[in-house]
Amino acid sequence: MTAVRQVDVLVVGAGPAGLAAAARLAAARAGRVELLEREARPGGVPRHCAHRGFGTWPRTLTGPRYARLLTAEAERAGAVIRTRTTVLDWEAGAAFAPNVVLTVGPGGPEALAARAVVLATGARERPRAARLVPGTRPAGVYTTGELQQAVHLFGQHIGTRAVVVGARDVSYAAARTVRTAGAEVVALVTEHPRARTGRARARSARLVEGIPLLTDTAVVELLGHGRLSGVRVRHRDGRTAVLPCDTVVFTGDFVPDQELARRGALDLDPGTRGPAVHAGLHTSRPGVFAAGNLLHAVEPAGTAAREGARAAAAVLGHLSGAPWPRPGIPVTVERPLCHVTPNRIDPDRGRLGHPAGPPHLLRTDTPLPRPVLYVHQDGRLLHRARLGPGTARPHRALRLDGSWHGRVDPDGPEVRVSAG
Amino acid sequence: MRGPGEAEPRPAEAGRVPPSARRTDTAGGPPAAAVTVTAEGPLPDRSYDIAIVGAGVVGCAIARRLARHPRPRIALVEAQDDVGQGTSKANTAILHTGFDAVPGTLEARLVREGSARLAAYAAESGIPVEPVGALLVAWDGEQLAALPRLARKAAANSCSDTRLLDRAELYAREPHLGPGALGALHIPGESVICPWTTTLAYATQAVRAGVDLHLNTMVERATWDGGHHLHTTRGTLRARHLVNAAGLGADILDHHLGRDDFGVRPRRGQLLVFDKFARPLVRHILLPVPTALGKGVLVAPTVYGNVLLGPTAEDLDDRRATGSTAEGIALLRERGRRVLPALIEEEVTAVYAGLRAATGQEDYRIAAHPERSCVTVGGIRSTGLTASLAIAEHVTALLTGTGLDLGPERDLEPVHMPNLGEAFPRPHQRPGLIAADPAYGTLVCHCERVSLGEIRDALAGPIPPRGADGLRRRTRARAGRCQGFYCGAAVRELLERRGRGERG
């Protein structure tokens, strides 16, 4: 095996979270900061999001411009970005300080030791197979990620009639990409009773662009040999129909890309399926932090970038000798809430006199008209927060401040967040 | 050790009919052999001594075996656009011992002989095999009582190293097994293998040795006037002798030849492939105790590092019903949950369905028809992969019996296949290879860690893929958990660039 090369901070994944973390760390003179990216270009998912809405409102950018901006900031600050470099695994048996990862790229394999590692490997959509959609295995079956790359990065032909599965923001973005590619959107199909996007967007798609929205409807079979010839849909009331199409796009249903986290035996949170993290985005493995959509699947790029910056601040503390937090008290949610991040409370936080942590992000599965969030530990109410009416909808993140962290019993059981 | 780059060098074009399909392939050393693989345009105007219909694992094995004789001109004719596209691509990928065959049948003998032959061939050709062994798990008293009988049956099939395991030993070997198992029969000789590489290795050796492979050539009708005329979608192909290895269509082709010895009833098997994270959950092939209804649903590791759950067994009439169903998936998940509860918590990375050529008889249907100068190879069920080399030997003897003089025989140039198995070093794990060619360190498909070099080699191979599915079978590109979310468009770009004649 090759000799181990030493760096100070290794960031894995050059999407918004990784780029923001690397930029902040390099600017803070954190030593040698290397950002490893397995794709040929840095930028992550925004690279192939042609629509605007990235960056700071009202001067928002397209995804590719936003990706270039974040890349330039990281490079200007002095971070070393190495593309086409894949982190394969962690070196087995190594003591946690320092962590050693094994990489490969066109230049060959390399073992890299780092005083701190920031995982920012992002999220991906679950494809047709993972969703267990039956039928044949024809060509013309996409996820949004593949569709956007096909159209926006490679200019590939994607078919003439597409069904889009899902009615979330990403589904509408997929529909727009289908139309950009010159194809017709047959329908958006969602199992939910209504679209999970802003009202203006849903209305515009339906009325201006004329895209039908089939609610309470599931795609239950793919048809066709060689090329897709149609999808069978079933309404909640039992009616079925075949929508003739040559393309189907499975959108949304994002999951954290947690391969490296699992290989590194990091504790995962059952709600997010990403690594469990403390307020400073420390994971259960000393020296390893996690940020961005790896934590909670998909939130906007700006959220991911802010988490990258937050992880960078904690990395600086770690490099200057701050103790690693103990495993911590889990924070869990009750339905209809889906997950919460950060999802560990440092039991020593109160005793150490830390200020209140940054806010937690939550998602709800159903709209809550007059949302109140309750935080309990062992039946004891720690906190109650009333949110603005109409704010708790599935397509938006909810925020819960961390003012109650000091009231958590460090020896108590898990903390539960519920909605009323 | 040869690298994949050396094993599959880029061919130069050597124009003949049709121009794009004729390749000069210099692997295997001098002299450079001309390779004929066609997929479009009219068939070449030549008559063959032998035509093999069906380029599944059996047809390809027969072509490879006959190619040892340089004299006869041989055509391998396939309806689909790639070799191994039918039953051969959608099976359980197990290299059987034949321990549970019906003793005395042709199948029992050919599986036993084929198993040893294929194991040796795989080692020599770089086909990934993992000798994981199988456990026949008893879940009730009746099944437990049946195990000694199955051990005796195994011994009758020359598989005498089986051993009965008690409950404690079973759970020590398979700690993630669901509760309620009572014991097992251990069959150490069962292995898992890569069925795609096997079929492609046979076909590669065959075409390098001079067999003409005609893809996209569906036989619609066959006539006979002292020689065979195969009327195909690409014109008529003439041959003196015929081997019917048409799998699911073998009975239809036989009917054209004037034989109605059996009918094929497709038996659909649906299978689930689980994420590589599931691989540590299982160490052996986990088999149920067979019943009158079939061999049942198994859980098995794959050489690619996944876990397979299946197959279902559904008798159908539609020979194209290769779709999965909600009921099939639900049944498999229910069975799987009992055998390996933690498996069901992992993600499914592929769902597929294959059709086995059941004929209503518990044996192969291999017969020579000397009056028509043909041999029918029918009813090859799930054991066909294991038995393929022995079937090829058997069929060659039968062909000779129909009055065909094959002439002198020679050894074929060995073939070295790119490794798709996790138990052996993949190109990205070989520093020397990457130093010689950085393309092997440039990963394109991240989930399966497929490098640009491997994709380039597959596209330049003697039997190149004609679409994303063919490329996946040759390299595993897009076969992982993201199913193309990350790499799908980039992989397609490489395919289409090759199709446009661009390099690199």
Side-chain angles (χ1 to χ4, degrees), chain B residues 325-336:
Chain B
T325 63
E327 299 73 31
I329 293 170
L331 173 96
L332 292 179
R333 285 169 56 83
E334 181 214 313
R335 298 284 169 84

Side-chain angles (χ1 to χ4, degrees), chain A residues 124 130 255 257-259 262-263, chain B residues 272-281 302 304-308 343 345-350 447-448 476 479-482:
Chain A
R124 61 173 175 83
V255 286
D257 202 325
Q258 25 111 302
E259 177 172 3
R262 280 187 79 169
R263 283 179 179 267
Chain B
L272 304 183
V273 180
F274 285 86
D275 194 293
K276 291 184 166 181
F277 285 125
R279 180 62 184 88
L281 297 174
T302 73
Y304 324 109
N306 299 92
V307 176
L308 199 66
L343 180 64
E345 305 304 315
E346 297 292 345
E347 292 266 81
V348 169
T349 55
C447 300
E448 294 296 314
R476 300 221 25 96
R481 60 174 69 94
C482 92

